[in-house]
Amino acid sequence: SPVQKLVFNRVNGKRPQVLLQQVSAPEECYTLAHEENVRFIYEAWQQVEQQLDGSRSGESTCGPVQYVEKNPNPELKNFVPIDLDEWWAQQFLAKVENCS
């Protein structure tokens, strides 16, 4: 059976008062250089994805090469990536329990 995940629903679409106090952090401001860097990375990644899609469908013979391990590490055989949604839910619950 699939693992159940915690879902946080807002009552009447409103945030609880406890969260409003914690969320009152100052807004992050981004510089033009930051936005330019993000745009550059995004556009470069889009090009890589297009080239990968083209090489999979046989459109091009050159381009990016996707790495596939020939001899996988046996120690990583049972590796399970972390579920960030679940981790954040646990952190949230721990903070709520510590506050009460």
Side-chain angles (χ1 to χ4, degrees):
S1 68
V3 177
Q4 293 183 353
K5 293 186 177 184
L6 295 174
V7 178
F8 299 101
N9 294 318
R10 295 179 180 166
V11 179
N12 298 330
K14 297 179 181 176
R15 289 185 173 181
Q17 290 296 328
V18 175
L19 287 180
L20 288 176
Q21 295 169 357
Q22 295 175 356
V23 176
S24 62
E27 273 190 42
E28 292 184 39
C29 50
Y30 300 106
T31 63
L32 289 175
H34 171 81
E35 291 180 17
E36 185 178 329
N37 288 339
V38 170
R39 191 176 312 110
F40 172 79
I41 300 266
Y42 175 79
E43 291 171 358
W45 184 248
Q46 293 303 311
Q47 289 177 351
V48 169
E49 284 186 326
Q50 288 173 354
Q51 291 173 354
L52 278 174
D53 289 342
S55 66
R56 287 185 193 127
S57 62
E59 293 175 13
S60 65
T61 56
C62 61
V65 177
Q66 189 169 2
Y67 177 77
V68 178
E69 240 181 298
K70 294 177 184 172
N71 300 314
N73 185 339
E75 293 178 13
L76 297 176
K77 181 176 71 171
N78 297 323
F79 173 77
V80 179
I82 186 171
D83 182 344
L84 284 177
D85 289 331
E86 180 64 25
W87 185 84
W88 280 113
Q90 289 174 0
Q91 297 299 311
F92 176 79
L93 288 176
K95 283 183 181 179
V96 169
E97 289 174 359
N98 287 338
C99 290
S100 55

